[in-house]
């Protein structure tokens, strides 16, 4: 026969139990956010838009499909269009630009 006494859990025991559950939930949420946050990239432009680059600089903008770029902007050269933030071409165009003749050159403000 057991000599154990069954007592109801007091307020302190319930608080400790909730703390453990809350800590476990928070840990799981942080882990999930960290893992998925590193694998999801934002698109450069919204659906129905295309990216353009500032002539002679590293600025960029998005233009609705079917419209021409504003004065001072041009389309990226074919095959060198950034699609997502931090992709190969997004990183490349941080230090390069297109001059008025359409040639790719080092950006004047590239550090």
């Amino acid at each position: 026969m057991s000599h154990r006494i069954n007592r109801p859990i007091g307020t302190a025991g319930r608080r400790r139990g909730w703390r453990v559950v809350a800590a476990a939930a928070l840990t799981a949420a942080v882990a999930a956010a960290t893992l998925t946050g590193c694998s999801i990239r934002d698109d450069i432009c919204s659906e129905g838009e295309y990216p353009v680059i500032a002539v002679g600089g590293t600025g960029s903008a998005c233009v609705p499909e079917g419209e021409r770029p504003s004065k001072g902007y041009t389309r990226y050269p074919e095959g060198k269009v950034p699609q997502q933030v931090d992709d190969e071409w997004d990183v490349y165009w941080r230090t390069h630009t297109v001059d008025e003749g359409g040639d790719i050159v080092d950006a004047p403000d590239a550090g």
Side-chain angles (χ1 to χ4, degrees), residues 54-57 71-72 74 97-105:
V55 174
K71 184 175 181 173
T74 188
T97 192
V98 176
D99 66 15
E100 290 189 16
D103 295 319
I104 297 173
V105 296

Side-chain angles (χ1 to χ4, degrees), residues 20-40:
V20 170
V21 171
L26 180 61
T27 300
V30 168
T34 301
L35 293 173
T36 58
C38 294
S39 63
I40 297 174

Side-chain angles (χ1 to χ4, degrees), residues 86-99:
D86 293 333
D87 70 9
E88 172 188 8
W89 293 114
D90 184 40
V91 172
Y92 176 83
W93 290 111
R94 292 175 191 169
T95 57
H96 296 82
T97 192
V98 176
D99 66 15

Side-chain angles (χ1 to χ4, degrees), residues 1-109:
M1 185 185 286
S2 172
H3 295 291
R4 188 171 170 187
I5 299 173
N6 289 328
R7 294 186 198 150
I9 298 176
T11 306
R14 277 190 229 124
R15 271 186 281 182
R16 192 174 328 117
W18 282 108
R19 283 188 207 139
V20 170
V21 171
L26 180 61
T27 300
V30 168
T34 301
L35 293 173
T36 58
C38 294
S39 63
I40 297 174
R41 288 188 181 169
D42 291 324
D43 289 337
I44 294 291
C45 293
S46 297
E47 189 173 332
E49 296 179 325
Y50 66 94
V52 293
I53 187 168
V55 174
T58 57
S60 63
C62 294
V63 176
E65 292 288 347
E67 290 187 20
R68 296 175 57 110
S70 300
K71 184 175 181 173
Y73 286 86
T74 188
R75 288 182 173 266
Y76 284 94
E78 189 174 335
K80 298 180 179 183
V81 181
Q83 299 297 318
Q84 296 179 319
V85 175
D86 293 333
D87 70 9
E88 172 188 8
W89 293 114
D90 184 40
V91 172
Y92 176 83
W93 290 111
R94 292 175 191 169
T95 57
H96 296 82
T97 192
V98 176
D99 66 15
E100 290 189 16
D103 295 319
I104 297 173
V105 296
D106 289 337
D109 55 354

